[in-house]
Amino acid sequence: MRVLLPAARLAILLLSLLWLVRVPMAAAATWDFATPYPETDIRSRSAQAFAAAVGSASDGRLTLVLFANGSLVAAPQIPAALRDNAVPIALLELTQLADEAPALAVSSLPLLAASYDDSLRLWNAARPVVQRLLAARGLMVLYALPATPAALFSKGAVNTLADLQRLPLATTDSWLAALIDASGGRSVATEPGNLAAAIGGGQAKGMLVAPDVAIGANAWTLVNNAYDVKASFPLSIVAVNQSAFYALDEDSQRALLNAAVDAQNDAWSSSVDARNAQVDGLEAHRLIVQPSPLPLQEGLRQAARTVIDSWRATAGADGAAILAAFGWPAN
């Protein structure tokens, strides 16, 4: 009988054990997901669906836990928290990053995009610049989604710019305030919760806000006219901290990116559906959202050019590149 030396026995044992060894799976990760919007907001609902898709695609290796309504990080602090990796992923308004890079305000510019189709074209034109500017700040954009565009709500009929100029208008958006002022009107800056007080107290005679904001203010008790001016399509983005992303295993990274593609594909149609439902909600209270009269819309477009040109002067080469890719006139 052949006798094996101890060293040979050990070698055979080690070789046999290699067949039994399995590479351990990467440890599961749980990410807190910050959003400033309420759970019922279309953007938070999109983020929740995205989180579920990531969990499924990663086979549970990556779990995103959504904290809505600023419950994890207050809206103004989200950009800094994301850069510092205090939160690895967040949903935020793109324009929140514009203090450091003015080009990132592009989607909030009034009437640069006149429709949902225009808004998607604008995002496709802007995305390479946005990706580069965010990467320089240690961030990565996964997908974008548009807010429902603002309509004009007023106590009196508004058919022309002259009519608008007679009505102080409340708004919650600084770019829409700039549009009102450039139109020769007077903007009244306010928070969503104070719109009813501003109009009821006489400081404003109408408002330029998204339909969901108007519903929250019970607009049908405040005004009797509504016009579908579609003043802007501000984008929100889901972004991640780059260091946190690259610390994930490759399967989890792939799950995030693939789910982001699906979320991006659904974003615009979801916003259209949400806005249609909001308009239906207003009309259920007999506040009919009418097409914007042509003289009014043309006057607003001319005023918007002033706002866009002012932004262009601050946004530099990045802003010019976006406008050129979008097909906006150079002058």
Side-chain angles (χ1 to χ4, degrees):
M1 185 176 80
R2 186 177 180 185
V3 178
L4 296 177
L5 297 175
R9 289 176 180 170
L10 179 59
I12 292 173
L13 178 61
L14 290 174
L15 286 171
S16 64
L17 286 174
L18 287 175
W19 292 98
L20 301 176
V21 171
R22 295 290 184 269
V23 177
M25 290 182 62
T30 298
W31 279 9
D32 291 341
F33 190 172
T35 169
Y37 309 114
E39 288 183 0
T40 55
D41 186 277
I42 179 62
R43 291 159 290 192
S44 287
R45 294 205 303 269
S46 170
Q48 188 63 66
F50 171 69
V54 169
S56 176
S58 68
D59 292 327
R61 287 191 296 275
L62 178 58
T63 300
L64 307 182
V65 180
L66 193 71
F67 289 82
N69 211 28
S71 58
L72 181 65
V73 182
Q77 279 75 55
I78 287 178
L82 194 56
R83 280 194 299 266
D84 296 342
N85 204 15
V87 291
I89 184 168
L91 171 63
L92 69 160
E93 292 182 10
L94 183 57
T95 193
Q96 281 187 265
L97 302 167
D99 286 346
E100 299 177 13
L104 296 176
V106 64
S107 70
S108 294
L109 297 176
L111 294 171
L112 177 57
S115 65
Y116 272 105
D117 286 345
D118 279 355
S119 173
L120 182 55
R121 283 199 309 109
L122 180 59
W123 170 235
N124 289 334
R127 184 163 188 162
V129 174
V130 172
Q131 288 174 322
R132 175 171 51 78
L133 291 174
L134 264 63
R137 289 155 179 79
L139 305 179
M140 176 189 298
V141 61
L142 294 180
Y143 72 95
L145 62 165
T148 53
L152 173 63
F153 301 86
S154 63
K155 284 190 172 183
V158 180
N159 294 306
T160 66
L161 217 55
D163 294 333
L164 182 146
Q165 291 164 355
R166 290 193 288 269
L167 300 174
L169 293 174
T171 186
T172 61
D173 182 285
S174 62
W175 289 104
L176 296 183
L179 174 64
I180 295 166
D181 295 340
S183 301
R186 181 164 67 85
S187 63
V188 178
T190 187
E191 296 296 323
N194 296 330
L195 284 167
I199 296 175
Q203 293 96 336
K205 301 293 184 183
M207 52 189 170
L208 186 58
V209 296
D212 60 326
V213 177
I215 289 172
N218 294 332
W220 50 89
T221 68
L222 304 169
V223 299
N224 48 24
N225 292 277
Y227 302 96
D228 194 14
V229 298
K230 293 187 176 71
S232 65
F233 294 79
L235 292 180
S236 293
I237 59 169
V238 172
V240 297
N241 179 281
Q242 283 185 335
S243 296
F245 176 82
Y246 289 115
L248 294 171
D249 64 89
E250 289 186 4
D251 287 340
S252 295
Q253 292 178 11
R254 192 176 301 111
L256 264 178
L257 297 177
N258 289 342
V261 170
D262 291 338
Q264 183 69 88
N265 290 338
D266 292 341
W268 263 255
S269 61
S270 296
S271 184
V272 170
D273 291 344
R275 192 173 196 270
N276 288 339
Q278 292 162 11
V279 169
D280 289 344
L282 291 167
E283 294 186 351
H285 291 277
R286 301 185 184 279
L287 183 56
I288 307 302
V289 181
Q290 310 168 55
S292 181
L294 289 178
L296 171 64
Q297 198 69 15
E298 183 55 33
L300 288 172
R301 285 196 190 99
Q302 292 301 320
R305 287 180 177 274
T306 301
V307 178
I308 294 167
D309 286 344
S310 177
W311 166 84
R312 190 200 320 244
T314 66
D318 290 328
I322 294 171
L323 293 181
F326 180 59
W328 188 258
N331 294 310

